[in-house]
Amino acid sequence: MSLRGSTLTILAAVCTAAVTGVGTAEPPGLPGSVEIACAASTLHQSAAWYLPTGQPRGLVWVQHGFARDNDNVAALAETLADAGYLAFAPSLPFLNLSGCTLQNLGDNTPFLNQVADLFATADDPAGPLARSLETAAAGSGRPVPAMPGQLVFIGHSAGAEAVEYVAHRLHTTAPATWSKLRGLVLLDPVKSFLGNNTETALTDLDATGLPMLTVSAPPSLCNNFGGGTAAMEALLHRPFIGVRIPAGEHTDAEGASSDGIGELLCGVPQAANVTVLQRLTSGWTDDFIDGTHTAAYYPGDPADPGGIPAAPGAQILGGS
């Protein structure tokens, strides 16, 4: 079978599993939904909220990958809530006749523009994001926390390209919200087969100085042969853009929230890798929000002059 044929076979199997619900379970967190405009209609997408103890330090958007669901990033979202963040994990379509999809199958930018509007109107109590949080909290008997002012976006796989593009959209059209965005964490990012969303977003964002860091796995079919990470290396002009875990699996970002289909097609998450990924993701998010630089999460710490103390053995990645 050809390389392209192998890739399409994997994608078809993932699509079939997503449609039939094989390996899925009820998501943790506060279940709910969010309204997102799609062409002439409105989608009502599943969305889970993860509430911290006390007032949240910031709002973190956690976006799943291609043909996955919000329950597949539940473990990561719970980790972030435990660290004090209000985590929002929506499910975005991978197939839609109007082009309203997570990944680019032609031109999904009008849909991603609507996703950006969720955050651009987050301060509006009548906006879709605030209503989603209020409804989810009320349905679970929890008090509704105040919507945080500071934002961090985290995306896995195709979700990484989506958060890149949404951040770009906010930069170009929503200056008030853009000023609240503190950084992006891109977990084994995948560039869509079609279009140039990754290039457009990274080229724009690079000039802003917005922190963008990755935890990547080695090239494979499931990460489109490392194209998303390669784009970061080529288009970001900064000495440190993250790490690659040499024995990493594409599913490490899902951790305990992965399922049989994900593990069959894209590898079984490894406990040591998951620990490193969650540690870096939470640590970088803390630094983005607090405006700090915790030495253990970056190169140059005297404790590990050849690497990163929080990610032993990881390959350091730099931009061009």
Side-chain angles (χ1 to χ4, degrees), residues 91-120:
S91 291
L92 299 184
F94 69 95
L95 293 176
N96 180 277
L97 294 178
S98 298
C100 302
T101 55
L102 172 68
Q103 75 293 337
N104 194 6
L105 297 178
D107 183 10
N108 67 338
T109 57
F111 177 64
L112 293 182
N113 293 344
Q114 297 299 327
V115 176
D117 282 348
L118 294 179
F119 300 98

Short mmCIF file of all heavy atoms in Angstrom, two decimals, residues 91-120:
data_model
loop_
_atom_site.label_atom_id
_atom_site.label_comp_id
_atom_site.label_asym_id
_atom_site.label_seq_id
_atom_site.Cartn_x
_atom_site.Cartn_y
_atom_site.Cartn_z
N SER A 91 -16.07 20.05 21.67
CA SER A 91 -15.92 19.11 20.57
C SER A 91 -16.23 19.85 19.28
O SER A 91 -17.30 20.44 19.14
CB SER A 91 -16.88 17.93 20.73
OG SER A 91 -16.51 17.11 21.81
N LEU A 92 -15.29 19.84 18.34
CA LEU A 92 -15.50 20.49 17.05
C LEU A 92 -15.58 19.43 15.96
O LEU A 92 -14.88 18.41 16.01
CB LEU A 92 -14.37 21.48 16.76
CG LEU A 92 -14.23 22.64 17.76
CD1 LEU A 92 -13.14 23.61 17.30
CD2 LEU A 92 -15.55 23.38 17.97
N PRO A 93 -16.43 19.64 14.96
CA PRO A 93 -16.66 18.60 13.95
C PRO A 93 -15.42 18.31 13.11
O PRO A 93 -14.59 19.19 12.87
CB PRO A 93 -17.76 19.21 13.06
CG PRO A 93 -18.34 20.34 13.85
CD PRO A 93 -17.25 20.83 14.74
N PHE A 94 -15.33 17.06 12.64
CA PHE A 94 -14.30 16.72 11.65
C PHE A 94 -14.92 16.52 10.27
O PHE A 94 -14.21 16.50 9.27
CB PHE A 94 -13.51 15.49 12.08
CG PHE A 94 -14.29 14.21 12.06
CD1 PHE A 94 -14.25 13.38 10.96
CD2 PHE A 94 -15.05 13.83 13.16
CE1 PHE A 94 -14.97 12.19 10.95
CE2 PHE A 94 -15.78 12.66 13.15
CZ PHE A 94 -15.74 11.83 12.04
N LEU A 95 -16.25 16.40 10.20
CA LEU A 95 -16.97 16.33 8.94
C LEU A 95 -18.18 17.25 9.03
O LEU A 95 -18.92 17.20 10.01
CB LEU A 95 -17.43 14.90 8.65
CG LEU A 95 -16.36 13.85 8.37
CD1 LEU A 95 -17.01 12.47 8.21
CD2 LEU A 95 -15.56 14.19 7.11
N ASN A 96 -18.35 18.08 8.00
CA ASN A 96 -19.50 18.97 7.97
C ASN A 96 -19.67 19.46 6.54
O ASN A 96 -18.70 19.93 5.92
CB ASN A 96 -19.29 20.15 8.92
CG ASN A 96 -20.46 21.12 8.93
OD1 ASN A 96 -20.55 21.99 8.06
ND2 ASN A 96 -21.34 20.97 9.90
N LEU A 97 -20.88 19.36 6.00
CA LEU A 97 -21.12 19.71 4.61
C LEU A 97 -20.91 21.20 4.32
O LEU A 97 -20.66 21.58 3.18
CB LEU A 97 -22.53 19.29 4.20
CG LEU A 97 -22.81 17.78 4.17
CD1 LEU A 97 -24.25 17.51 3.80
CD2 LEU A 97 -21.86 17.08 3.21
N SER A 98 -21.00 22.03 5.36
CA SER A 98 -20.80 23.46 5.18
C SER A 98 -19.36 23.89 5.43
O SER A 98 -19.06 25.09 5.43
CB SER A 98 -21.74 24.24 6.11
OG SER A 98 -23.09 23.98 5.78
N GLY A 99 -18.48 22.93 5.65
CA GLY A 99 -17.07 23.25 5.87
C GLY A 99 -16.73 23.68 7.27
O GLY A 99 -15.63 24.20 7.51
N CYS A 100 -17.65 23.45 8.21
CA CYS A 100 -17.42 23.86 9.61
C CYS A 100 -16.69 22.74 10.34
O CYS A 100 -17.29 21.97 11.11
CB CYS A 100 -18.74 24.20 10.28
SG CYS A 100 -19.65 25.51 9.42
N THR A 101 -15.39 22.66 10.12
CA THR A 101 -14.59 21.56 10.64
C THR A 101 -13.37 22.04 11.39
O THR A 101 -12.87 23.14 11.16
CB THR A 101 -14.13 20.64 9.49
OG1 THR A 101 -13.43 21.43 8.51
CG2 THR A 101 -15.30 19.95 8.83
N LEU A 102 -12.91 21.19 12.29
CA LEU A 102 -11.69 21.48 13.05
C LEU A 102 -10.49 21.63 12.13
O LEU A 102 -9.73 22.60 12.22
CB LEU A 102 -11.44 20.34 14.05
CG LEU A 102 -10.12 20.35 14.81
CD1 LEU A 102 -10.08 21.52 15.79
CD2 LEU A 102 -9.92 19.03 15.55
N GLN A 103 -10.28 20.67 11.25
CA GLN A 103 -9.15 20.69 10.33
C GLN A 103 -9.61 21.24 8.98
O GLN A 103 -10.80 21.30 8.69
CB GLN A 103 -8.56 19.29 10.15
CG GLN A 103 -9.37 18.34 9.29
CD GLN A 103 -10.70 17.95 9.89
OE1 GLN A 103 -10.89 18.02 11.10
NE2 GLN A 103 -11.64 17.55 9.04
N ASN A 104 -8.66 21.69 8.18
CA ASN A 104 -8.98 22.32 6.91
C ASN A 104 -9.17 21.27 5.83
O ASN A 104 -8.21 20.62 5.41
CB ASN A 104 -7.88 23.29 6.52
CG ASN A 104 -8.31 24.22 5.40
OD1 ASN A 104 -9.46 24.21 4.98
ND2 ASN A 104 -7.38 25.02 4.91
N LEU A 105 -10.40 21.12 5.36
CA LEU A 105 -10.70 20.20 4.27
C LEU A 105 -11.00 20.95 2.98
O LEU A 105 -11.46 20.35 2.01
CB LEU A 105 -11.90 19.31 4.64
CG LEU A 105 -11.70 18.39 5.84
CD1 LEU A 105 -12.97 17.61 6.13
CD2 LEU A 105 -10.53 17.44 5.60
N GLY A 106 -10.75 22.22 2.96
CA GLY A 106 -11.01 23.08 1.81
C GLY A 106 -10.80 24.51 2.23
O GLY A 106 -9.79 25.13 1.92
N ASP A 107 -11.76 25.03 3.00
CA ASP A 107 -11.59 26.33 3.64
C ASP A 107 -12.47 26.36 4.89
O ASP A 107 -13.66 26.65 4.82
CB ASP A 107 -11.95 27.48 2.71
CG ASP A 107 -11.71 28.85 3.36
OD1 ASP A 107 -11.09 28.88 4.45
OD2 ASP A 107 -12.13 29.87 2.80
N ASN A 108 -11.86 26.08 6.01
CA ASN A 108 -12.61 26.10 7.28
C ASN A 108 -12.42 27.41 8.03
O ASN A 108 -12.83 27.53 9.19
CB ASN A 108 -12.20 24.93 8.18
CG ASN A 108 -10.76 25.05 8.68
OD1 ASN A 108 -9.94 25.74 8.08
ND2 ASN A 108 -10.45 24.34 9.75
N THR A 109 -11.78 28.41 7.38
CA THR A 109 -11.51 29.64 8.11
C THR A 109 -12.77 30.41 8.51
O THR A 109 -12.77 31.01 9.60
CB THR A 109 -10.55 30.55 7.32
OG1 THR A 109 -11.10 30.83 6.03
CG2 THR A 109 -9.19 29.88 7.15
N PRO A 110 -13.86 30.41 7.71
CA PRO A 110 -15.07 31.08 8.22
C PRO A 110 -15.57 30.47 9.53
O PRO A 110 -16.04 31.19 10.42
CB PRO A 110 -16.08 30.90 7.08
CG PRO A 110 -15.24 30.78 5.85
CD PRO A 110 -14.03 30.00 6.30
N PHE A 111 -15.44 29.16 9.65
CA PHE A 111 -15.86 28.51 10.89
C PHE A 111 -14.91 28.85 12.03
O PHE A 111 -15.36 29.17 13.15
CB PHE A 111 -15.93 26.99 10.70
CG PHE A 111 -16.28 26.24 11.95
CD1 PHE A 111 -17.52 26.42 12.56
CD2 PHE A 111 -15.38 25.36 12.53
CE1 PHE A 111 -17.85 25.72 13.72
CE2 PHE A 111 -15.70 24.66 13.68
CZ PHE A 111 -16.94 24.85 14.28
N LEU A 112 -13.62 28.81 11.79
CA LEU A 112 -12.66 29.16 12.84
C LEU A 112 -12.82 30.62 13.26
O LEU A 112 -12.58 30.96 14.43
CB LEU A 112 -11.24 28.87 12.38
CG LEU A 112 -10.89 27.40 12.17
CD1 LEU A 112 -9.43 27.25 11.75
CD2 LEU A 112 -11.17 26.56 13.42
N ASN A 113 -13.24 31.47 12.33
CA ASN A 113 -13.53 32.86 12.71
C ASN A 113 -14.66 32.92 13.73
O ASN A 113 -14.64 33.74 14.65
CB ASN A 113 -13.91 33.68 11.47
CG ASN A 113 -12.75 33.86 10.51
OD1 ASN A 113 -11.59 33.63 10.85
ND2 ASN A 113 -13.07 34.26 9.29
N GLN A 114 -15.64 32.03 13.58
CA GLN A 114 -16.74 31.98 14.55
C GLN A 114 -16.27 31.43 15.89
O GLN A 114 -16.74 31.86 16.95
CB GLN A 114 -17.89 31.14 13.99
CG GLN A 114 -18.53 31.68 12.73
CD GLN A 114 -19.14 33.06 12.93
OE1 GLN A 114 -19.63 33.39 14.01
NE2 GLN A 114 -19.08 33.87 11.89
N VAL A 115 -15.35 30.47 15.86
CA VAL A 115 -14.77 29.98 17.11
C VAL A 115 -14.03 31.13 17.81
O VAL A 115 -14.11 31.29 19.04
CB VAL A 115 -13.83 28.79 16.85
CG1 VAL A 115 -13.14 28.36 18.15
CG2 VAL A 115 -14.60 27.62 16.24
N ALA A 116 -13.31 31.93 17.04
CA ALA A 116 -12.61 33.08 17.62
C ALA A 116 -13.60 34.03 18.29
O ALA A 116 -13.30 34.62 19.35
CB ALA A 116 -11.82 33.81 16.54
N ASP A 117 -14.79 34.17 17.72
CA ASP A 117 -15.78 35.06 18.30
C ASP A 117 -16.26 34.59 19.67
O ASP A 117 -16.72 35.39 20.48
CB ASP A 117 -16.98 35.20 17.35
CG ASP A 117 -16.70 36.15 16.19
OD1 ASP A 117 -15.68 36.85 16.24
OD2 ASP A 117 -17.50 36.17 15.24
N LEU A 118 -16.16 33.27 19.95
CA LEU A 118 -16.50 32.80 21.30
C LEU A 118 -15.66 33.53 22.33
O LEU A 118 -16.16 33.93 23.39
CB LEU A 118 -16.25 31.30 21.41
CG LEU A 118 -17.09 30.33 20.60
CD1 LEU A 118 -16.62 28.90 20.87
CD2 LEU A 118 -18.56 30.48 20.91
N PHE A 119 -14.39 33.67 22.03
CA PHE A 119 -13.47 34.30 22.99
C PHE A 119 -13.53 35.82 22.91
O PHE A 119 -13.38 36.51 23.93
CB PHE A 119 -12.06 33.78 22.75
CG PHE A 119 -11.96 32.30 22.90
CD1 PHE A 119 -11.99 31.47 21.78
CD2 PHE A 119 -11.89 31.71 24.15
CE1 PHE A 119 -11.93 30.08 21.91
CE2 PHE A 119 -11.84 30.33 24.29
CZ PHE A 119 -11.87 29.52 23.17
N ALA A 120 -13.80 36.35 21.72
CA ALA A 120 -13.91 37.80 21.57
C ALA A 120 -15.11 38.35 22.33
O ALA A 120 -15.13 39.53 22.70
CB ALA A 120 -13.99 38.17 20.09
#
